[in-house]
């Protein structure tokens, strides 16, 4: 089962992606996480990607497409995968479709997590992330037990460079201009399922699972 999680920055794709991945025992592939790991390790790819990421704009398609192609060819993706943060524009969606077709696969579900803009800004500006394991917290809505320390692994919490207020606006603009057209793209293909992303994490997970299970019965 191959799932795309769509939605603006701050919609909860990372959080929900992890939970859905556990539920269906398939890997979550976050292009943002892979890029950040490359930046952290100062790889050639990371050095190229960093300037785009810090500005809140998209990294060029050639960098990201190659990365995704390599990842979904791995053995653990045979039974399916969850894409979080990819595709981010129409070109990437086209490339993904052809890539999967070539491997005898397809996109089964596109889950769009929808949250209003005001709430997104609040979520992103208060987000803190573990440097070690990537777990997400929020300074008001989801505090760690010990300030600045990850509950899961004890790693240091930090504010992502692109979660600074001036970059958030740029990221939301990029989303509207480049990524939002994917809603129409996947709706036309009968794959898009909208999920209300406001509310408790487990309720949203439940709604996503329900949408997937409903889809299974209709096929
Ligand atoms: P995210 O963690 O998904 O919010 O991604 C963080 C940043 O990584 C984005 O603002 C982009 O600069 C870059 N990025 C992640 N995924 C993609 C993608 N599919 N295409 C281009 N850039 C991406």
């Amino acid at each position: 089962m191959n799932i795309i999680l769509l939605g603006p920055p701050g919609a909860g794709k990372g959080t929900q992606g992890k939970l859905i991945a556990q539920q269906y025992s398939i890997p979550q592939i976050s292009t943002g996480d892979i890029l950040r790991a490359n930046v952290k390790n100062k790889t050639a790819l990371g050095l190229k990607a960093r300037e785009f990421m810090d500005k809140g704009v998209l990294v060029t398609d050639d960098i990201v497409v190659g990365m995704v192609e390599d990842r979904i060819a791995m053995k653990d993706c045979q039974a399916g995968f969850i894409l979080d943060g990819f595709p981010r524009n129409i070109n990437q969606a086209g490339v993904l479709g052809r890539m999967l077709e070539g491997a005898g696969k397809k996109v089964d579900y596109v889950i769009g997590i929808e949250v209003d803009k005001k709430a997104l800004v609040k979520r992103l500006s208060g987000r803190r992330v573990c440097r070690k394991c990537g777990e997400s917290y929020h300074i008001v809505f989801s505090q760690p037990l010990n300030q600045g320390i990850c509950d899961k692994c004890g790693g240091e919490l930090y504010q992502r460079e692109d979660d600074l207020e001036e970059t958030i606006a740029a990221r939301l603009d990029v989303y509207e201009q480049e990524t939002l057209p994917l809603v129409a793209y996947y709706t036309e293909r009968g794959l898009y399922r909208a999920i209300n992303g406001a509310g408790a994490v487990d309720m949203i997970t439940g709604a996503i699972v329900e949408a997937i299970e409903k889809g299974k019965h209709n096929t």
Side-chain angles (χ1 to χ4, degrees), residues 7-10 13 30-36 49-61 63-65 67-68 84-89 92 124 127 160 162-163 167 171 174 178-179:
K13 298 189 296 297
S30 157
T31 43
D33 283 351
I34 301 174
L35 288 166
R36 276 185 290 280
R50 183 172 186 163
E51 54 173 312
F52 298 100
M53 295 173 75
D54 283 352
K55 277 190 235 153
V57 299
L58 295 185
V59 171
T60 52
D61 289 351
I63 295 182
V64 188
V65 163
M67 229 170 65
V68 171
D84 151 14
F86 184 92
R88 275 291 229 280
N89 59 30
Q92 291 180 11
L124 290 166
R127 177 161 70 180
R160 275 170 48 172
D162 59 353
D163 281 344
T167 318
R171 289 167 68 206
V174 167
E178 304 201 40
T179 312

Side-chain angles (χ1 to χ4, degrees), residues 1-5 14-30 71-72 74-84 105-109 111 208-209 212-213 216:
M1 191 167 52
N2 305 321
I3 302 171
I4 293 174
L5 278 185
T15 304
Q16 293 300 335
K18 283 191 188 82
L19 295 166
I20 301 296
Q22 268 172 18
Q23 172 100 13
Y24 290 103
S25 303
I26 50 177
Q28 172 206 25
I29 303 172
S30 157
R71 183 63 189 87
I72 61 182
M74 289 184 188
K75 227 179 164 180
D76 64 339
C77 290
Q78 266 171 8
F81 49 79
I82 297 172
L83 286 172
D84 151 14
K105 297 179 182 182
K106 63 179 173 56
V107 173
D108 295 301
Y109 304 98
I111 304 289
I208 296 175
V209 171
I212 293 171
E213 293 303 317
K216 276 187 190 166

